[in-house]
Amino acid sequence: MLRNLNKILTSYTKVLKSQKRSKSGDVPIFINGREICVPKYFTVMQALRREGVSIPCFCYHERLTIAGNCRMCLIEVEGMMKPQIACALPVYKNIKVWTNTKKTLTAQEAVLEFILVDHPLDCPICDQGGECDLQDLTMKFGNDRTRFTDIHFLGKRAVEDKNLGPLIRTEMTRCIHCTRCIRFASQICGMDVLGTSGRGGEMLVGTYVDKMFLSELSGNIIDLCPVGSLTAIPYMFKARPWEIRKTNSIDVTDATGTNIVLDHRFNRVLRVLPRENDEINQEWLSDKGRWSIDSLEMQRLVSPMCRSESRLVPVEWDCALRMVATTIKNVSPGKMIAVAGPYCNVETLVAAKDFFNILGCDNTFIERNLTHTCGNIDLRTSYSLNIKMSEIAKADKILLVGTNPRFEAPILNAWIRLAYTHNECDIYVVGPECEFNYHVNYVGHDLSALSGPNDYFKGAKNPLIFVGIDQLDTPSGGQIMSAIYNIASGFKVDPEWGIVNILTREASFAGALEAGWKPGALSAIRAICPNLIISLGADDIFYKCQPSNDIAVIYIGFQGDKGSECANIVLPGCAYTESGGVFLNMECRSQFALPAITPPGKARYDWKIIRALAEYSGISLFYSDSDTLCCRLAQISPNFVNFENYQHKLFGELIPYLIKPGSGGGCNLNVPMKELSDYYCSNVYTCNSNTMRRAEKAAKDHKQSKYAVI
């Protein structure tokens, strides 16, 4: 009796050990005869992808709603007579799914045959060739022959192309009606421009009226299109995927730190694509980051130049460096100033500051001015986002003060829209009326709206306040921040949930302040009255302050604009595609960009130019190559080399005590980018892009059309 009981207990223990313990809320399912546990809210498609089971699909996308249009993800489910689509089928307990049966493969092959019946066979002239999902899936799941003949069919269909603007080329005959572009435009861009008309073989995808699809994120529908129906006009007929090389980089057109891939060939960047990063940009990319790349071929500085009479003439590097070194030696350290531009990497900023500090000068400034804090740049909390971008989607109430994130930071705005659509977030605005892609409630246009009653913001569990960096350049910056922190003090939230966040715009902003540079270049120039200004790609400052003839201006940069126009000596530097380097985004998250191509002409890396200047000036810096420079970065701030990790901000509770009293009164808050036409050419870099100029013109013309308000 005991012997039999022991056998039963032993066998029962083995059964328990063999069973997979599932978490609460998980359900057991079977995939191709193998038992797994998945969350009960999963669809079969999600379960298959998590387990690495190959399943073809066209219309499904994990960041968009389920459509179930293409019928490509057919599977066999035990107990169901017909094949089912995996993307729209929820899992349930003990469902048995088969993806490799003859019935499944035959059904998938038939769907591909139906798609190819109406699809034009123009792969040799299609820009999507080599990257086309239809090509790949046909090779893997399709048949090697077709039953299509012109005798039994009326021929392939032909569809009129649509005009979606100067950036997106349409070839609607290739469209397979996956509706990814429609769902992206509606759900991510917030624009109900694209749609369908008709049914079956007569179904058409396009605009209901003659209206262009103009959005700050419009280029992403090209990446989403699984066929060559939507392609990029600037990249048209330039290269094939197997001819180009790919390099990981960081977008510098804004401060979000969007991860990108540079596609280049023959030492020329041909296009920019997004790189997936779930904590920053998901898999989206702004239009400026994608298409302003042609600006790198306009007005490039390719040779050292010095001013002779009223013009700049080319000289050799040795001559230019000696002239700069002589100028530096003849100027008192207190009468020198360095100004950092918006595209400097951290290596350049550190080298320039070390050089000035050894000379006995601490006049290193950025173009932005921070008037709101007495703590200057000592605390990151006072000039950055105090929350992860990915956590913005959890907010239930958001207040925008003097900013339009849709155009100032399109990727961050995508997270705000995600909170609006998925978390029913209420969004309030203090400032002028702007074009938003979600419903907003205007509280007021000036400071009085912040100091008045804020009943609209009460009851929030995860509130967020975003302040535009332009407001902190004004004399009323202190008043604005005092009122905002007064509102934020009424909430009891998690200590790591930063309510107040500064929305910056320059890629070099956080890196410069982390390296010890100070804000307020314009005020410093007027106060110091320098004899020497060294500009590291800074052009905007010279639009606001024209230096006199007795001030020597040294310009180190890659593009000729106002800064080089005012310069006495020009030293050609590198763009971000050529030098790479470390960049800190608005979260103060450190990221590394790899160099893709070599600099043109006689241009050199910016930090190497500064090191050469130091040698000609009789100063030896602590580093001579990238490795030793990286060690120097780690000495200044460990955050510089702590790549990809978000660091929570400390001492945020001290900021209200360090705010300077403002003197702005009840003035209105100004936002520089109110509508789409203001977005495309908002800085020197994008102004030199022909593609952005065409997009700006299209946006202005479209606004005058009779369908603009629809």
Side-chain angles (χ1 to χ4, degrees):
M1 184 75 177
L2 291 173
R3 189 178 298 172
N4 292 334
L5 183 60
N6 287 333
K7 288 182 178 180
I8 293 172
L9 289 173
T10 303
S11 61
Y12 183 65
T13 303
K14 289 181 180 179
V15 170
L16 287 178
K17 288 182 178 180
S18 64
Q19 289 180 344
K20 293 185 177 180
R21 294 184 179 271
S22 62
K23 298 179 182 178
S24 176
D26 288 5
V27 294
I29 68 171
F30 294 87
I31 296 178
N32 295 332
R34 184 167 60 93
E35 182 184 5
I36 63 169
C37 290
V38 298
K40 60 183 178 182
Y41 56 82
F42 264 29
T43 62
V44 174
M45 171 71 83
Q46 290 174 305
L48 292 173
R49 288 199 167 192
R50 198 189 75 170
E51 295 301 315
V53 179
S54 179
I55 184 76
C57 67
F58 289 116
C59 67
Y60 175 79
H61 194 277
E62 60 185 4
R63 304 193 194 277
L64 304 175
T65 55
I66 296 171
N69 289 340
C70 68
R71 324 303 291 184
M72 192 65 227
C73 57
L74 291 172
I75 55 171
E76 186 176 352
V77 180
E78 190 172 295
M80 295 186 181
M81 183 175 65
K82 296 181 180 180
Q84 304 295 312
I85 52 173
C87 64
L89 180 64
V91 299
Y92 55 85
K93 188 177 181 180
N94 294 328
I95 181 177
K96 293 181 173 61
V97 176
W98 302 90
T99 64
N100 53 7
T101 61
K102 183 178 180 180
K103 183 179 181 180
T104 300
L105 297 176
T106 303
Q108 293 170 353
E109 185 180 288
V111 170
L112 277 171
E113 188 175 3
F114 272 118
I115 291 175
L116 291 172
V117 161
D118 274 332
H119 193 79
L121 301 180
D122 58 352
C123 299
I125 63 168
C126 178
D127 274 329
Q128 196 80 353
E131 300 173 314
C132 179
D133 291 350
L134 184 57
Q135 284 181 332
D136 297 338
L137 295 182
T138 302
M139 289 292 293
K140 186 170 183 180
F141 298 96
N143 202 336
D144 61 347
R145 63 201 64 200
T146 178
R147 289 174 284 179
F148 175 83
T149 58
D150 286 333
I151 298 175
H152 300 93
F153 295 88
L154 297 178
K156 292 182 181 287
R157 65 174 187 153
V159 182
E160 183 181 357
D161 296 338
K162 308 297 187 297
N163 179 20
L164 297 185
L167 303 176
I168 302 170
R169 178 174 180 251
T170 61
E171 192 76 37
M172 302 312 295
T173 306
R174 301 171 184 160
C175 181
I176 62 171
H177 303 158
C178 71
T179 68
R180 278 187 179 183
C181 56
I182 298 172
R183 285 175 283 152
F184 175 82
S186 176
Q187 297 161 23
I188 307 299
C189 294
M191 300 176 62
D192 294 321
V193 176
L194 299 175
T196 62
S197 60
R199 294 179 63 83
E202 302 300 322
M203 178 177 172
L204 300 176
V205 173
T207 56
Y208 296 113
V209 296
D210 188 12
K211 185 177 181 181
M212 291 184 289
F213 177 47
L214 295 173
S215 169
E216 72 283 359
L217 296 173
S218 64
N220 293 285
I221 65 173
I222 297 172
D223 301 331
L224 289 173
C225 185
V227 293
S229 184
L230 302 173
T231 55
I233 291 178
Y235 181 67
M236 187 168 56
F237 306 142
K238 283 191 175 179
R240 286 299 190 184
W242 55 85
E243 298 173 335
I244 58 181
R245 300 179 64 185
K246 296 181 178 291
T247 303
N248 293 342
S249 186
I250 304 297
D251 178 28
V252 300
T253 57
D254 56 34
T256 55
T258 303
N259 289 216
I260 59 175
V261 176
L262 301 175
D263 287 354
H264 52 98
R265 184 184 67 162
F266 302 147
N267 204 42
R268 183 186 181 195
V269 177
L270 299 179
R271 67 173 175 178
V272 180
L273 296 177
R275 181 160 48 97
E276 190 169 2
N277 188 319
D278 288 333
E279 293 194 349
I280 300 178
N281 59 300
Q282 302 177 82
E283 55 187 276
W284 314 131
L285 175 60
S286 67
D287 280 4
K288 279 202 297 192
R290 183 186 298 268
W291 280 310
S292 61
I293 199 70
D294 62 329
S295 174
L296 297 179
E297 299 179 358
M298 304 296 174
Q299 296 186 194
R300 285 304 301 265
L301 302 174
V302 296
S303 174
M305 292 182 287
C306 68
R307 187 166 296 279
S308 175
E309 296 179 354
S310 60
R311 61 184 183 275
L312 292 168
V313 294
V315 295
E316 292 298 323
W317 268 109
D318 180 70
C319 179
L321 292 173
R322 288 185 186 279
M323 292 172 65
V324 175
T326 302
T327 305
I328 291 174
K329 291 177 182 178
N330 293 333
V331 175
S332 170
K335 288 294 184 177
M336 294 190 303
I337 188 171
V339 183
Y343 311 114
C344 294
N345 56 24
V346 170
E347 291 89 340
T348 303
L349 296 166
V350 168
K353 182 160 179 60
D354 285 344
F355 178 39
F356 264 59
N357 290 163
I358 295 174
L359 287 172
C361 176
D362 196 32
N363 297 330
T364 53
F365 295 89
I366 61 173
E367 294 180 289
R368 285 289 177 185
N369 193 16
L370 299 180
T371 60
H372 70 288
T373 175
C374 301
N376 209 359
I377 58 171
D378 296 331
L379 300 176
R380 296 177 192 156
T381 316
S382 64
Y383 60 81
S384 69
L385 288 187
N386 298 315
I387 188 174
K388 288 183 181 179
M389 281 195 199
S390 57
E391 292 183 350
I392 294 175
K394 301 177 183 177
D396 55 357
K397 287 184 186 292
I398 293 177
L399 176 63
L400 305 177
V401 181
T403 182
N404 184 359
R406 179 183 174 188
F407 302 132
E408 294 179 17
I411 299 302
L412 181 137
N413 188 69
W415 289 109
I416 295 178
R417 178 163 174 80
L418 199 61
Y420 173 77
T421 56
H422 287 62
N423 203 34
E424 298 183 354
C425 177
D426 297 324
I427 303 175
Y428 302 91
V429 174
V430 176
E433 293 188 4
C434 303
E435 290 182 3
F436 295 98
N437 56 358
Y438 35 72
H439 176 72
V440 299
N441 303 287
Y442 284 97
V443 180
H445 300 284
D446 54 21
L447 293 177
S448 60
L450 292 173
S451 55
N454 51 11
D455 298 336
Y456 57 90
F457 221 52
K458 289 183 178 178
K461 296 180 180 179
N462 293 320
L464 288 177
I465 302 175
F466 292 99
V467 187
I469 190 66
D470 295 284
Q471 310 312 320
L472 306 185
D473 280 347
T474 63
S476 57
Q479 270 185 294
I480 294 173
M481 295 304 293
S482 295
I484 287 171
Y485 274 102
N486 185 42
I487 296 174
S489 63
F491 299 100
K492 292 184 179 180
V493 295
D494 187 274
E496 293 184 351
W497 182 270
I499 297 179
V500 181
N501 300 272
I502 310 298
L503 205 156
T504 57
R505 289 171 53 190
E506 290 83 17
S508 66
F509 182 87
L513 297 186
E514 185 81 6
W517 289 62
K518 294 175 287 188
L522 185 59
S523 302
I525 291 175
R526 290 171 177 169
I528 298 172
C529 297
N531 295 326
L532 173 63
I533 299 176
I534 296 181
S535 170
L536 302 179
D539 293 287
D540 290 339
I541 192 73
F542 296 104
Y543 283 101
K544 302 174 183 176
C545 175
Q546 183 72 22
S548 59
N549 294 331
D550 58 340
I551 298 177
V553 178
I554 312 300
Y555 185 82
I556 303 174
F558 65 91
Q559 204 159 42
D561 203 85
K562 192 66 174 178
S564 58
E565 181 183 325
C566 300
N568 300 94
I569 301 175
V570 174
L571 305 178
C574 290
Y576 75 100
T577 57
E578 299 148 7
S579 62
V582 178
F583 292 93
L584 268 63
N585 71 347
M586 60 175 61
E587 303 169 304
C588 288
R589 188 195 300 259
S590 180
Q591 300 182 104
F592 189 76
L594 294 170
I597 58 177
T598 57
K602 298 179 180 179
R604 296 294 182 266
Y605 287 2
D606 293 14
W607 75 267
K608 291 187 177 181
I609 294 174
I610 294 167
R611 191 188 180 282
L613 277 178
E615 287 191 3
Y616 274 78
S617 303
I619 293 173
S620 178
L621 294 179
F622 320 107
Y623 31 81
S624 57
D625 55 19
S626 299
D627 294 335
T628 51
L629 178 56
C630 185
C631 294
R632 176 58 180 161
L633 298 186
Q635 289 176 350
I636 294 175
S637 173
N639 189 37
F640 282 150
V641 294
N642 185 24
F643 297 127
E644 304 296 339
N645 295 319
Y646 175 82
Q647 294 187 1
H648 291 283
K649 311 302 186 299
L650 303 176
F651 309 115
E653 66 277 2
L654 300 179
I655 300 301
Y657 303 102
L658 299 174
I659 294 177
K660 293 180 181 178
S663 59
C667 62
N668 292 333
L669 304 181
N670 183 41
V671 174
M673 289 185 279
K674 298 182 178 66
E675 54 190 28
L676 187 63
S677 58
D678 302 328
Y679 163 74
Y680 291 111
C681 299
S682 59
N683 51 42
V684 171
Y685 175 67
T686 52
C687 276
N688 289 318
S689 168
N690 290 332
T691 305
M692 293 294 96
R693 286 291 186 185
R694 287 193 293 268
E696 181 186 43
K697 183 178 184 302
K700 290 180 179 178
D701 293 344
H702 177 69
K703 191 176 179 180
Q704 304 300 323
S705 69
K706 54 186 176 182
Y707 295 129
V709 296
I710 299 178

